C-alpha cells in the first residue's frame, strides 16, 4: 500500500503540473490567435500555429488552389515559454540565433560601407558621442537579408499576433571610451507621435559585438511593458526620454536587467519596454543592428518619415550566407534617412521633472 500510495502521489503531481502547463498554453494560444489568413490573386494561404510536446511552436502552411491542397509543417525557433516571457516581461533574449559566420560577414560588409559611416547621425552629449544610422525599407543588400530573415520575422508575428512589416532599421555604434549613454525611454514614446495608434510594435536587437556592462549593453526594466506609454520629452542632454522620477519609482517594483550578449545573440523587446544603456567605458566597441516592426493592423493614420504598411517578404535562413555584396543607394531618401529626428511634439524642454 505504501508503494501504491507513492506511485499515485507522483502520478497526481505529474498530472497536476501538466494540467497547469496546458492551461498556461491555452491562455497564450488565445493571445496568439491560432489562424491567420492572407489572400492574394493566385491562391489563399492559411497559417496555423500549434505546439509540439516540447513546447515549440509549429507553423503549418496550407496552400490551396483549384485542384490541390499542400501542407508544409515547420518547427520554429520559438517556444511557448518565449511568448510567456515576452507578454510578462516585455523582452526575450535568444542566444546564438545568428552564427559567427553570418555576423562576421555582416561586420565585414559594414567595414566596406563608407557611405553608411559618412551618412551616420552623430550627436555629442555629456556622456560622449552617440552615432546612429537609420533606413526605412528593407533593401536588397545584406542588411535586408537580416531584417527580413524568418528567424526574427516569424517570432515577431507570434509576439505581435499578426502579419508584421518593416518599420525601420538602424545601426547604433558605441566606440571605445567615447560612445555615450542612451537615456531611459520607450520606443512607443516616439512612435505614438508618428500616428501608430496601438502599441503593436517591437524591436529586434542583433549583437554585432560582445555587449557587456563595461561597453554599455542594453538595460531593461523587466515588466515595464505593462506600465503603458509613459510621457516623453526633450531632456537637457538633447535626447528624448521619460520622466526619470517615474523610472525611479518603477525600479522599486521591477527588476533591472543588463542584457549582456555575444555576437549573434538576439533580443526581442516590446515597444513599451523601458530601456537605456550606459557609456562605453571599455577599449572594445559595441555595435548593434536594430530592426523595428509594426503589426499590419496598426497602419499609421498620418504620413510620417517612417513607412506605412508595406508587405514584407520573409527570406529563408540560408539567404544571409548566399547574399552577395549588393549596395544600398544612400541617395535614395525613401530608403535611407540621413538625419532621423524626434517628432515635433517632443521638441520642447522637459523641465526639472525629467532630471534625476
Amino acid at each position: 500500500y505504501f508503494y501504491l500510495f507513492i506511485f499515485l502521489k507522483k502520478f497526481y503531481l505529474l498530472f497536476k503540473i501538466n494540467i497547469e502547463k496546458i492551461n498556461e498554453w491555452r491562455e497564450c494560444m488565445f493571445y496568439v490567435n491560432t489562424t491567420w489568413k492572407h489572400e492574394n490573386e493566385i491562391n489563399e494561404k492559411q497559417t496555423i500555429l500549434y505546439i509540439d510536446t516540447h513546447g515549440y511552436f509549429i507553423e503549418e502552411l496550407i496552400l490551396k488552389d483549384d485542384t490541390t491542397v499542400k501542407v508544409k509543417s515547420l518547427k520554429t525557433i520559438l517556444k511557448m515559454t518565449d511568448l510567456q516571457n515576452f507578454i510578462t516581461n516585455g523582452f526575450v533574449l535568444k542566444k546564438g540565433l545568428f552564427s559567427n559566420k553570418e555576423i562576421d560577414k555582416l561586420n565585414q560588409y559594414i567595414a566596406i560601407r563608407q557611405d553608411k559611416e559618412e551618412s551616420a547621425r552623430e550627436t555629442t552629449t555629456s556622456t560622449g558621442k552617440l552615432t546612429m544610422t537609420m533606413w526605412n525599407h528593407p533593401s536588397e543588400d545584406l542588411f535586408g537579408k537580416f531584417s527580413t530573415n524568418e528567424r526574427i520575422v516569424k517570432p515577431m508575428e507570434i509576439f505581435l499576433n499578426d502579419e508584421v512589416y518593416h518599420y525601420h532599421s538602424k545601426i547604433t555604434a558605441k566606440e571605445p571610451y567615447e560612445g555615450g549613454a542612451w537615456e531611459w525611454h520607450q520606443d512607443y514614446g516616439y512612435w505614438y507621435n508618428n500616428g501608430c495608434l496601438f502599441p503593436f510594435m517591437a524591436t529586434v536587437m542583433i549583437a554585432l559585438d560582445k555587449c557587456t556592462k563595461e561597453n554599455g549593453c542594453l538595460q531593461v526594466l523587466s515588466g515595464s511593458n505593462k506600465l503603458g506609454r509613459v510621457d516623453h520629452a526633450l531632456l537637457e542632454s538633447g535626447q528624448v526620454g521619460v520622466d526619470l522620477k517615474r523610472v525611479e519609482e518603477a525600479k522599486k517594483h521591477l527588476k533591472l536587467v543588463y542584457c549582456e550578449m555575444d555576437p549573434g545573440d538576439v533580443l526581442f523587446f516590446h515597444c513599451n519596454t523601458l530601456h537605456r544603456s550606459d557609456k562605453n567605458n571599455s577599449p572594445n566597441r559595441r555595435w548593434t543592428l536594430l530592426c523595428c516592426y509594426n503589426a499590419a493592423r496598426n497602419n499609421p493614420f498620418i504620413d510620417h518619415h517612417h513607412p506605412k504598411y508595406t508587405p514584407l517578404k520573409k527570406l529563408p535562413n540560408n539567404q544571409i550566407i548566399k547574399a552577395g555584396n549588393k549596395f544600398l543607394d544612400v541617395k535614395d531618401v525613401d530608403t535611407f534617412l540621413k538625419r532621423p529626428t524626434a517628432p515635433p511634439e517632443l521638441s520642447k524642454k522637459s523641465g526639472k521633472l525629467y532630471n534625476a
Side-chain angles (χ1 to χ4, degrees):
Y1 289 104
F2 174 76
Y3 291 110
L4 179 61
F5 172 76
I6 296 297
F7 172 78
L8 291 175
K9 184 178 179 180
K10 288 185 177 180
F11 179 80
Y12 167 75
L13 291 176
L14 182 62
F15 179 78
K16 181 181 178 182
I17 290 172
N18 285 335
I19 288 298
E20 290 176 350
K21 185 178 292 186
I22 289 170
N23 287 336
E24 289 178 358
W25 288 358
R26 280 177 177 170
E27 291 179 6
C28 285
M29 288 308 294
F30 177 77
Y31 171 84
V32 169
N33 199 354
T34 55
T35 304
W36 303 327
K37 291 183 178 179
H38 306 290
E39 295 182 357
N40 56 38
E41 295 178 356
I42 301 175
N43 56 31
E44 178 183 294
K45 182 173 71 174
Q46 185 175 342
T47 302
I48 298 177
L49 290 174
Y50 60 92
I51 307 166
D52 69 8
T53 55
H54 299 289
Y56 281 97
F57 280 101
I58 304 295
E59 183 182 56
E60 188 172 89
L61 300 179
I62 303 175
L63 301 178
K64 299 179 181 180
D65 57 29
D66 293 336
T67 58
T68 61
V69 176
K70 297 180 180 179
V71 178
K72 178 182 178 183
S73 296
L74 180 66
K75 184 175 181 178
T76 71
I77 55 91
L78 205 64
K79 297 190 74 171
M80 177 57 72
T81 51
D82 294 325
L83 177 59
Q84 290 173 318
N85 288 332
F86 186 83
I87 295 171
T88 303
N89 303 324
F91 70 98
V92 173
L93 177 59
K94 300 293 288 185
K95 303 293 289 184
L97 197 58
F98 291 102
S99 68
N100 289 334
K101 186 176 181 180
E102 290 170 319
I103 297 301
D104 288 344
K105 182 171 184 176
L106 183 57
N107 278 325
Q108 292 169 8
Y109 184 64
I110 293 174
I112 63 174
R113 293 300 307 276
Q114 296 299 321
D115 53 350
K116 282 281 189 194
E117 294 188 19
E118 291 170 1
S119 300
R121 178 195 180 197
E122 184 177 284
T123 59
T124 302
T125 70
S126 57
T127 60
K129 294 181 180 179
L130 299 173
T131 305
M132 181 170 66
T133 305
M134 185 182 295
W135 59 97
N136 274 336
H137 298 288
S139 53
E140 294 298 323
D141 63 2
L142 192 57
F143 296 107
K145 305 302 181 186
F146 274 84
S147 62
T148 59
N149 191 276
E150 61 184 3
R151 273 171 284 180
I152 56 178
V153 177
K154 285 183 178 179
M156 271 295 177
E157 290 179 329
I158 294 174
F159 289 147
L160 298 178
N161 188 24
D162 196 7
E163 174 192 1
V164 299
Y165 74 95
H166 181 266
Y167 194 53
H168 63 269
S169 289
K170 54 197 170 191
I171 296 173
T172 58
K174 288 191 178 187
E175 300 301 334
Y177 295 117
E178 64 177 20
W182 290 96
E183 305 280 6
W184 281 110
H185 67 280
Q186 300 166 312
D187 290 337
Y188 193 53
Y190 310 129
W191 300 341
Y192 172 84
N193 293 280
N194 297 350
C196 300
L197 193 59
F198 296 97
F200 302 151
M201 312 175 79
T203 297
V204 173
M205 171 182 275
I206 304 170
L208 305 183
D209 301 313
K210 191 174 183 64
C211 303
T212 65
K213 289 184 180 180
E214 291 73 24
N215 69 2
C217 69
L218 197 73
Q219 304 168 34
V220 300
L221 276 186
S222 181
S224 57
N225 56 307
K226 300 292 184 65
L227 294 175
R229 181 176 59 89
V230 182
D231 288 340
H232 285 59
L234 190 65
L235 307 180
E236 291 183 358
S237 64
Q239 296 183 46
V240 173
V242 299
D243 181 343
L244 295 182
K245 287 186 177 180
R246 189 171 290 267
V247 172
E248 292 304 314
E249 189 63 30
K251 285 182 181 179
K252 298 176 184 178
H253 305 273
L254 304 174
K255 182 180 179 181
L256 174 62
V257 179
Y258 287 83
C259 300
E260 294 190 294
M261 304 166 67
D262 292 313
D265 291 351
V266 171
L267 182 73
F268 296 85
F269 59 96
H270 188 266
C271 63
N272 271 336
T273 300
L274 282 166
H275 57 285
R276 72 174 303 275
S277 62
D278 285 326
K279 177 184 177 182
N280 187 349
N281 291 310
S282 79
N284 305 308
R285 75 170 202 179
R286 195 226 74 173
W287 282 36
T288 58
L289 171 63
L290 294 101
C291 306
C292 308
Y293 301 87
N294 188 17
R297 68 187 186 280
N298 194 35
N299 199 26
F301 64 87
I302 62 174
D303 292 327
H304 198 264
H305 62 253
H306 290 316
K308 291 189 174 184
Y309 169 71
T310 308
L312 184 153
K313 180 181 179 182
K314 294 190 290 284
L315 294 181
N317 293 335
N318 62 1
Q319 291 301 303
I320 292 175
I321 297 301
K322 290 173 106 178
N325 290 328
K326 293 183 179 179
F327 291 144
L328 170 68
D329 183 5
V330 297
K331 296 179 181 179
D332 182 358
V333 294
D334 290 331
T335 305
F336 190 82
L337 300 177
K338 290 187 177 182
R339 292 198 171 274
T341 57
E345 293 85 351
L346 303 178
S347 62
K348 296 181 180 179
K349 290 287 183 179
S350 57
K352 294 182 180 180
L353 177 64
Y354 291 86
N355 294 285

